[in-house]
Amino acid sequence: MKKPFVIFYFLMIYALAELFWWAVLLLRPRPISLGMIAGELAVFIFILLVGAYHLHKSINKERELHMRQKNFLLSVTHELKSPLASIKLFLQTMQMRDLNKEQRINFIEKCLQDIERLDDLVENMLIASKIDNENYTFPKEKFNFSILVDSVVNRLQINKCDCNQQIINAEIEPQVEITGDKFTLTSVVTNLIENAVKYSAPCEVVDVKLYRKNNEVHLTVADNGIGIADAEKPHIFDKFYRVGNEDTRNTKGTGLGLFIVKQVLDKHEASINIRDNRPKGSVFEVVFG
């Protein structure tokens, strides 16, 4: 048991013991006051237990947040070191070896992919920080959402799979326009699709659909991955929360993606729902009213 809980339970036991001891001292000279003292004692114990429950809940919440922050720092360190090491290796190889044009182009493309990965990570951290500090105004304008989704799909499609196939199957209705903050909504679409790819088996197809229905704009991202347990669904939009057990948490990620998605969509008065896919996986559906 952790030290804060040891101190907490010790203080609880001490407070209860003191209450009973003072009750005994009051009853000795005035046994006739048993009913009144018992009533007062019951009220004090009730208030103490209610306070103890909320205090225990707060301490536990703080411990969970501390652990998530610790895991977040470890994840960020790994997320930064991995692409940097990859870029360094490619550049050193190009420097030391006489490569042909095709090999150089291939290495440069891989470096650019790692740079985009770093850019996405920094962008997520920047948006999360601005949301926390409440100093981002979400400037809104009318724009073509179809082009935005298509560009994100095309960017994430590149070399995501060694099977030489398109693993992101996109059905995008043309000329779908919405009013919103283009910068943060790009992050929303990126995080949803990246999560679907990340938690799917290699070369599993991810379905992305954008369409209008009943004067609403619907964006769905469906995967055939590990799925999300019902017990975890209420927590997936919490800051730093990672889905799954320790094995599945070995996947890349910081726990900021879905937190950003929910916060940004709330600012746009849009809803996001999650349901199980069939036969496996998850479906995230975003609806703009």
Side-chain angles (χ1 to χ4, degrees):
M1 188 178 291
K2 300 296 182 181
K3 186 177 179 181
F5 284 105
V6 174
I7 296 173
F8 170 75
Y9 286 121
F10 174 79
L11 290 174
M12 277 289 300
I13 293 170
Y14 177 78
L16 287 172
E18 283 292 313
L19 281 174
F20 279 107
W21 173 243
W22 280 105
V24 170
L25 290 179
L26 288 171
L27 279 173
R28 280 178 180 174
R30 300 178 63 186
I32 194 172
S33 303
L34 176 61
M36 182 188 71
I37 293 174
E40 292 290 336
L41 183 62
V43 171
F44 275 116
I45 290 175
F46 175 75
I47 294 172
L48 184 64
L49 290 177
V50 170
Y53 168 76
H54 287 288
L55 183 60
H56 182 278
K57 193 175 178 180
S58 298
I59 293 173
N60 206 34
K61 189 175 181 180
E62 285 297 319
R63 285 186 61 222
E64 288 180 2
L65 182 60
H66 175 72
M67 288 302 299
R68 289 183 191 176
Q69 289 175 329
K70 182 179 178 181
N71 291 335
F72 166 74
L73 291 174
L74 293 173
S75 298
V76 167
T77 302
H78 175 74
E79 288 283 290
L80 288 172
K81 288 183 67 176
S82 181
L84 287 173
S86 176
I87 292 170
K88 183 179 179 180
L89 178 62
F90 283 127
L91 292 177
Q92 286 177 334
T93 304
M94 292 172 67
Q95 183 183 45
M96 298 172 62
R97 296 181 59 183
D98 185 18
L99 305 175
N100 58 42
K101 183 178 179 180
E102 184 179 347
Q103 288 174 321
R104 287 198 303 271
I105 291 174
N106 183 42
F107 278 25
I108 291 171
E109 286 179 348
K110 290 184 182 299
C111 286
L112 289 173
Q113 289 168 31
D114 284 323
I115 290 170
E116 284 183 351
R117 178 176 158 193
L118 285 171
D119 186 56
D120 286 341
L121 174 63
V122 172
E123 189 175 283
N124 271 351
M125 294 174 67
L126 178 64
I127 294 174
S129 176
K130 287 183 175 181
I131 290 173
D132 270 350
N133 294 330
E134 298 183 352
N135 60 1
Y136 189 73
T137 57
F138 293 90
K140 296 177 182 179
E141 60 178 326
K142 192 172 184 179
F143 65 93
N144 192 321
F145 196 42
S146 300
I147 294 177
L148 186 153
V149 175
D150 186 60
S151 65
V152 172
V153 168
N154 289 333
R155 180 169 68 86
L156 297 179
Q157 190 78 262
I158 302 173
N159 291 331
K160 282 289 185 181
C161 180
D162 296 328
C163 305
N164 296 319
Q165 68 180 46
Q166 302 288 300
I167 64 166
I168 303 176
N169 177 36
E171 297 179 18
I172 301 172
E173 184 178 321
Q175 301 301 318
V176 174
E177 294 187 338
I178 63 172
T179 299
D181 177 20
K182 195 173 182 180
F183 172 67
T184 54
L185 287 175
T186 300
S187 181
V188 166
V189 178
T190 300
N191 279 311
L192 287 175
I193 297 176
E194 278 193 332
N195 268 10
V197 174
K198 183 193 310 177
Y199 288 102
S200 297
C203 301
E204 284 277 11
V205 174
V206 171
D207 293 307
V208 178
K209 295 181 181 180
L210 177 67
Y211 57 94
R212 298 184 189 89
K213 182 180 179 182
N214 299 329
N215 296 320
E216 295 176 331
V217 173
H218 292 249
L219 171 68
T220 63
V221 180
D223 64 68
N224 295 286
I226 61 173
I228 302 173
D230 290 340
E232 291 191 287
K233 287 175 183 175
H235 305 291
I236 59 173
F237 298 111
D238 293 347
K239 194 175 182 181
F240 305 132
Y241 190 81
R242 301 288 308 280
V243 170
N245 54 32
E246 290 303 321
D247 294 330
T248 58
R249 289 194 189 106
N250 289 330
T251 56
K252 299 170 185 175
T254 60
L256 286 177
L258 290 179
F259 166 76
I260 291 171
V261 167
K262 186 66 169 64
Q263 296 297 314
V264 171
L265 292 177
D266 283 348
K267 294 294 183 180
H268 288 80
E269 297 182 353
S271 64
I272 181 168
N273 299 303
I274 179 173
R275 63 179 184 272
D276 294 333
N277 201 4
R278 295 290 183 268
K280 61 178 181 176
S282 303
V283 180
F284 285 84
E285 182 176 26
V286 177
V287 180
F288 295 89

